[in-house]
Amino acid sequence: MGIRENVKCLLREIPEDVILVAAAKTRTPQEVLEAVEAGIKVIGENYVQEAERAFELVGKKAEWHFIGHLQRNKVKRAVRIFDMIQTVDSFDIAREIDKRCAQIGKVMSVLCEVNIADERTKWGVKAEEVEELVRSISPLRYIKVMGLMTMGPYSEDPERLRPYFKKMREIFEKMKKMDIPNVEMRYLSMGMSDSYYIAIEEGANIVRIGTKIFGPRRYK
Ligand SMILES: *Cc1c(COP(=O)(O)O)cnc(C)c1O
């Protein structure tokens, strides 16, 4: 099946109140455009430079979410393109986003990235550190915390991820009840090609899907 059929199929399957982000890493601008023309509203990019190339072709036909690990020296360029940064995991990077957004008069929606299985190889803050991070960011005027994101561990059997998704949901609900000023716990971003249906069952309202839209990645 092609990109168009894959997108149509996913949009039929996924509940209307769940946002489908097309994870576009390694795809050409033409492929990204094809996904958008098939009905994708949000594109997820891991690399600023790749996003800039796709943005030249696709522009504002879709929203742009940053889902990779953001380096400080890329923030200035990132804030120009992206509507949301899903991977904030330190006060330091939040402060840089705030500073660069202040310069262009933009308030950036962000999600805080949680390393829910506490893996050494993953970015994100530990479950116990989420509240502290969110509270530290909340006074920044050019950032609005809109929820949480996680990659989750890799497993051959996606059912094994369910307990981690459940734990994310618990943290999300707990943070929501705290009513922290300038924080709106609206989005829970979790689930990828092989786990999105489980993530949705456990409360995800953003899923990030690459392979199931574009096919296997071709690494150069
Ligand atoms: C690549 C990627 C995805 C999508 O992965 P697939 O398994 O191809 O669906 C989702 N989220 C992030 C952060 C990614 O880097």
Side-chain angles (χ1 to χ4, degrees):
M1 281 211 301
I3 293 171
R4 167 167 295 271
E5 291 75 24
N6 292 344
V7 168
K8 299 269 177 218
C9 210
L10 279 163
L11 288 174
R12 244 177 295 162
E13 181 190 340
I14 290 171
E16 247 178 273
D17 53 352
V18 175
I19 298 169
L20 171 57
V21 174
K25 61 178 175 279
T26 77
R27 314 302 176 174
T28 65
Q30 283 73 23
E31 289 173 303
V32 176
L33 181 62
E34 199 177 330
V36 171
E37 285 173 344
I40 287 293
K41 300 270 191 299
V42 186
I43 300 157
E45 291 278 0
N46 293 63
Y47 307 103
V48 174
Q49 199 172 340
E50 209 172 80
E52 286 172 341
R53 251 184 286 133
F55 189 83
E56 268 182 47
L57 184 68
V58 180
K60 294 283 182 192
K61 290 191 189 82
E63 263 187 50
W64 298 80
H65 287 197
F66 190 78
I67 62 172
H69 181 69
L70 188 55
Q71 291 166 297
R72 237 182 111 87
N73 61 0
K74 299 281 167 62
V75 171
K76 186 178 173 187
R77 280 155 64 197
V79 299
R80 280 189 242 143
I81 291 184
F82 290 101
D83 302 289
M84 182 186 279
I85 295 173
Q86 292 202 7
T87 50
V88 169
D89 66 356
S90 71
F91 177 70
D92 206 46
I93 201 74
R95 195 173 44 186
E96 183 67 16
I97 295 168
D98 185 68
K99 176 180 144 191
R100 296 303 183 179
C101 281
Q103 290 169 348
I104 60 169
K106 177 173 182 175
V107 176
M108 183 64 73
S109 294
V110 307
L111 307 183
C112 289
E113 181 173 3
V114 184
N115 182 354
I116 195 64
D118 201 0
E119 294 170 284
R120 270 195 321 180
T121 54
K122 292 267 164 73
W123 301 103
V125 293
K126 295 178 186 177
E128 314 87 73
E129 299 165 346
V130 180
E131 182 182 347
E132 190 189 332
L133 176 65
V134 171
R135 286 192 190 276
S136 73
I137 296 174
S138 67
L140 298 176
R141 290 177 54 199
Y142 295 91
I143 286 190
K144 188 160 173 67
V145 177
M146 297 290 289
L148 305 178
M149 177 269 202
T150 195
M151 278 289 277
Y154 174 75
S155 173
E156 286 282 320
D157 175 11
E159 263 306 321
R160 291 211 170 170
L161 302 182
R162 193 183 291 278
Y164 296 108
F165 293 153
K166 272 193 203 298
K167 201 169 156 201
M168 281 297 295
R169 176 71 184 274
E170 280 167 24
I171 299 167
F172 179 72
E173 296 300 334
K174 195 180 86 186
M175 297 291 310
K176 197 186 279 188
K177 287 206 192 84
M178 285 178 191
D179 254 324
I180 301 168
N182 195 35
V183 171
E184 189 181 332
M185 279 286 147
R186 194 194 297 177
Y187 298 117
L188 182 56
S189 173
M190 55 189 192
M192 318 202 301
S193 287
D194 50 7
S195 59
Y196 67 92
Y197 53 95
I198 297 171
I200 292 170
E201 282 171 9
E202 298 303 335
N205 54 15
I206 297 181
V207 292
R208 310 174 311 264
I209 298 183
T211 310
K212 218 174 159 160
I213 292 175
F214 299 104
R217 274 183 284 279
R218 310 167 297 265
Y219 284 102
K220 289 144 250 168

